Protein backbone atom coordinates (compact mmCIF):
# COMPACT_ATOMS: atom_id res chain seq x y z
CA UNK A 1 0.00 0.00 0.00
CA UNK A 2 2.87 2.34 0.85
CA UNK A 3 4.40 1.85 -2.64
CA UNK A 4 1.06 2.65 -4.28
CA UNK A 5 0.77 5.84 -2.21
CA UNK A 6 4.30 6.98 -3.19
CA UNK A 7 3.66 6.17 -6.87
CA UNK A 8 0.38 8.11 -6.78
CA UNK A 9 2.03 11.09 -5.10
CA UNK A 10 4.86 11.07 -7.66
CA UNK A 11 2.39 11.00 -10.56
CA UNK A 12 0.37 13.80 -8.98
CA UNK A 13 3.48 15.98 -8.55
CA UNK A 14 4.68 15.34 -12.10
CA UNK A 15 1.26 16.08 -13.55
CA UNK A 16 0.79 19.44 -11.85
CA UNK A 17 4.35 20.74 -11.69
CA UNK A 18 6.03 19.41 -14.84
CA UNK A 19 4.55 22.10 -17.09
CA UNK A 20 5.51 25.09 -14.96
CA UNK A 21 8.82 25.55 -16.75
CA UNK A 22 9.65 25.22 -20.44
CA UNK A 23 12.41 22.61 -20.25
CA UNK A 24 12.17 21.27 -23.77
CA UNK A 25 14.80 22.46 -26.26
CA UNK A 26 13.59 22.34 -29.84
CA UNK A 27 15.75 22.84 -32.91
CA UNK A 28 14.09 24.32 -35.97
CA UNK A 29 15.61 24.69 -39.42
CA UNK A 30 13.96 27.82 -40.73
CA UNK A 31 14.23 29.29 -44.17
CA UNK A 32 15.87 32.67 -43.65
CA UNK A 33 14.21 33.87 -46.80
CA UNK A 34 15.79 34.31 -50.16
CA UNK A 35 17.48 37.67 -50.58
CA UNK A 36 17.45 38.87 -54.19
CA UNK A 37 19.83 41.66 -55.18
CA UNK A 38 21.54 43.21 -58.21
CA UNK A 39 25.28 43.62 -58.75
CA UNK A 40 25.68 46.68 -60.92
CA UNK A 41 28.02 46.60 -63.91
CA UNK A 42 29.11 50.18 -63.09
CA UNK A 43 29.93 49.29 -59.48
CA UNK A 44 32.18 46.42 -60.63
CA UNK A 45 33.90 48.56 -63.29
CA UNK A 46 34.51 51.41 -60.82
CA UNK A 47 35.55 49.25 -57.84
CA UNK A 48 39.32 49.70 -58.43
CA UNK A 49 40.06 46.46 -56.59
CA UNK A 50 37.86 47.33 -53.60
CA UNK A 51 34.94 45.03 -52.72
CA UNK A 52 31.60 45.75 -54.39
CA UNK A 53 29.07 45.95 -51.54
CA UNK A 54 25.31 45.41 -51.82
CA UNK A 55 23.28 46.19 -48.68
CA UNK A 56 19.64 45.21 -48.25
CA UNK A 57 17.09 47.37 -46.44
CA UNK A 58 16.30 46.40 -42.83
CA UNK A 59 13.78 43.57 -42.45
CA UNK A 60 11.52 43.22 -39.43
CA UNK A 61 12.15 40.24 -37.15
CA UNK A 62 8.60 39.99 -35.85
CA UNK A 63 8.90 36.24 -35.37
CA UNK A 64 5.96 35.21 -37.58
CA UNK A 65 7.60 31.87 -38.43
CA UNK A 66 8.36 31.30 -34.75
CA UNK A 67 4.68 31.92 -33.99
CA UNK A 68 3.75 29.27 -36.53
CA UNK A 69 5.92 26.90 -34.47
CA UNK A 70 4.20 27.88 -31.18
CA UNK A 71 7.07 29.91 -29.76
CA UNK A 72 8.24 33.55 -29.70
CA UNK A 73 11.41 35.66 -29.93
CA UNK A 74 11.67 36.05 -26.16
CA UNK A 75 12.03 32.25 -25.83
CA UNK A 76 14.71 32.05 -28.49
CA UNK A 77 18.03 30.94 -26.96
CA UNK A 78 20.19 30.47 -30.05
CA UNK A 79 20.09 31.27 -33.77
CA UNK A 80 22.82 30.47 -36.27
CA UNK A 81 23.13 30.35 -40.03
CA UNK A 82 23.36 26.74 -41.14
CA UNK A 83 23.93 27.34 -44.86
CA UNK A 84 24.29 30.23 -47.30
CA UNK A 85 24.24 29.73 -51.06
CA UNK A 86 24.67 32.62 -53.53
CA UNK A 87 23.38 32.00 -57.06
CA UNK A 88 23.44 34.08 -60.24
CA UNK A 89 19.85 34.06 -61.53
CA UNK A 90 20.18 36.43 -64.52
CA UNK A 91 21.40 36.76 -67.17
CA UNK A 92 21.44 33.09 -68.11
CA UNK A 93 24.89 31.61 -68.65
CA UNK A 94 26.76 34.09 -66.41
CA UNK A 95 29.24 32.61 -63.94
CA UNK A 96 31.46 33.70 -61.02
CA UNK A 97 34.60 34.10 -63.18
CA UNK A 98 34.83 37.79 -62.19
CA UNK A 99 34.80 37.09 -58.42
CA UNK A 100 37.71 36.24 -56.11
CA UNK A 101 35.80 36.32 -52.83
CA UNK A 102 32.21 36.60 -51.51
CA UNK A 103 31.30 37.72 -47.99
CA UNK A 104 27.85 37.69 -46.38
CA UNK A 105 27.32 39.80 -43.25
CA UNK A 106 24.37 40.72 -41.01
CA UNK A 107 23.62 43.61 -38.68
CA UNK A 108 20.82 44.21 -36.22
CA UNK A 109 19.30 47.38 -34.84
CA UNK A 110 22.16 48.82 -32.78
CA UNK A 111 24.41 45.84 -33.65
CA UNK A 112 27.32 46.34 -36.07
CA UNK A 113 27.76 44.40 -39.32
CA UNK A 114 29.15 40.93 -38.53
CA UNK A 115 30.63 38.40 -40.98
CA UNK A 116 28.38 35.32 -41.14
CA UNK A 117 29.69 33.43 -44.20
CA UNK A 118 32.35 33.79 -46.88
CA UNK A 119 34.08 31.96 -49.70
CA UNK A 120 37.46 32.46 -51.39
CA UNK A 121 39.00 30.55 -54.29
CA UNK A 122 35.72 30.37 -56.17
CA UNK A 123 35.34 28.07 -59.16
CA UNK A 124 35.25 30.43 -62.15
CA UNK A 125 32.70 28.25 -63.97
CA UNK A 126 30.26 28.09 -61.04
CA UNK A 127 26.86 29.75 -61.24
CA UNK A 128 26.16 28.97 -57.57
CA UNK A 129 28.53 29.20 -54.59
CA UNK A 130 28.06 27.59 -51.17
CA UNK A 131 29.71 29.87 -48.61
CA UNK A 132 31.66 28.68 -45.57
CA UNK A 133 29.51 29.56 -42.54
CA UNK A 134 31.01 31.18 -39.43
CA UNK A 135 29.92 30.03 -35.95
CA UNK A 136 28.19 33.32 -35.06
CA UNK A 137 25.37 33.59 -32.52
CA UNK A 138 22.57 35.70 -34.05
CA UNK A 139 19.85 35.60 -31.38
CA UNK A 140 20.45 39.23 -30.33
CA UNK A 141 20.27 40.32 -33.99
CA UNK A 142 16.78 38.80 -34.23
CA UNK A 143 15.66 40.20 -30.89
CA UNK A 144 16.83 43.70 -31.94
CA UNK A 145 13.72 44.11 -34.09
CA UNK A 146 15.30 44.28 -37.54
CA UNK A 147 18.12 42.72 -39.52
CA UNK A 148 20.02 44.02 -42.58
CA UNK A 149 22.28 41.97 -44.80
CA UNK A 150 25.35 42.95 -46.75
CA UNK A 151 26.98 40.95 -49.52
CA UNK A 152 30.37 41.96 -50.84
CA UNK A 153 32.29 40.72 -53.86
CA UNK A 154 36.00 41.18 -54.44
CA UNK A 155 36.39 41.16 -58.21
CA UNK A 156 39.30 40.76 -60.57
CA UNK A 157 37.57 41.59 -63.86
CA UNK A 158 34.59 43.55 -65.13
CA UNK A 159 31.17 42.30 -66.20
CA UNK A 160 29.22 43.24 -69.33
CA UNK A 161 25.81 43.72 -67.71
CA UNK A 162 24.09 43.94 -64.34
CA UNK A 163 23.71 40.59 -62.57
CA UNK A 164 20.69 39.49 -60.56
CA UNK A 165 21.64 37.19 -57.71
CA UNK A 166 19.92 35.35 -54.90
CA UNK A 167 21.25 34.39 -51.46
CA UNK A 168 19.45 31.43 -49.87
CA UNK A 169 19.93 31.27 -46.11
CA UNK A 170 18.91 28.53 -43.69
Amino acid sequence: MNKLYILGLALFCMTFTACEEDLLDVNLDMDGGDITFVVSKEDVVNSNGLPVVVTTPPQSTSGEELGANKTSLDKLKSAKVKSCVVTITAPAGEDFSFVNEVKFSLSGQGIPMTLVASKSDIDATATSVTLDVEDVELVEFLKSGEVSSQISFTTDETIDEDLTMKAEIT
Side-chain angles (χ1 to χ4, degrees):
M1 184 69 176
N2 207 12
K3 289 181 182 178
L4 187 58
Y5 175 74
I6 292 173
L7 180 62
L9 182 61
L11 285 173
F12 176 81
C13 289
M14 287 188 332
T15 301
F16 291 103
T17 61
C19 294
E20 286 182 19
E21 201 172 324
D22 188 8
L23 298 175
L24 182 62
D25 285 338
V26 177
N27 293 317
L28 302 172
D29 280 346
M30 294 174 35
D31 181 11
D34 296 345
I35 301 168
T36 302
F37 56 95
V38 175
V39 176
S40 164
K41 169 186 156 183
E42 286 77 29
D43 288 345
V44 173
V45 169
N46 297 321
S47 68
N48 296 322
L50 296 174
V52 175
V53 178
V54 179
T55 303
T56 64
Q59 299 294 314
S60 172
T61 57
S62 63
E64 291 174 16
E65 191 164 353
L66 289 172
N69 288 294
K70 307 283 192 246
T71 190
S72 61
L73 281 175
D74 63 318
K75 293 181 181 179
L76 193 61
K77 292 181 183 177
S78 180
K80 295 184 179 186
V81 171
K82 186 175 181 179
S83 69
C84 182
V85 179
V86 179
T87 304
I88 299 173
T89 58
E94 189 62 56
D95 57 35
F96 278 96
S97 61
F98 71 101
V99 176
N100 286 334
E101 182 178 50
V102 179
K103 291 182 179 181
F104 177 75
S105 302
L106 291 174
S107 68
Q109 191 171 17
I111 302 172
M113 199 59 72
T114 303
L115 180 66
V116 175
S118 63
K119 185 74 169 184
S120 299
D121 301 321
I122 297 168
D123 178 6
T125 62
T127 58
S128 184
V129 176
T130 301
L131 305 184
D132 300 323
V133 177
E134 302 287 323
D135 186 26
V136 177
E137 182 56 62
L138 300 173
V139 72
E140 293 306 317
F141 289 69
L142 298 174
K143 289 181 177 182
S144 76
E146 63 183 33
V147 175
S148 294
S149 61
Q150 178 176 289
I151 302 168
S152 67
F153 300 90
T154 304
T155 63
D156 61 357
E157 55 186 72
T158 61
I159 54 177
D160 296 329
E161 54 189 309
D162 294 352
L163 301 178
T164 303
M165 295 189 183
K166 174 176 66 173
E168 299 171 78
I169 299 116
T170 301

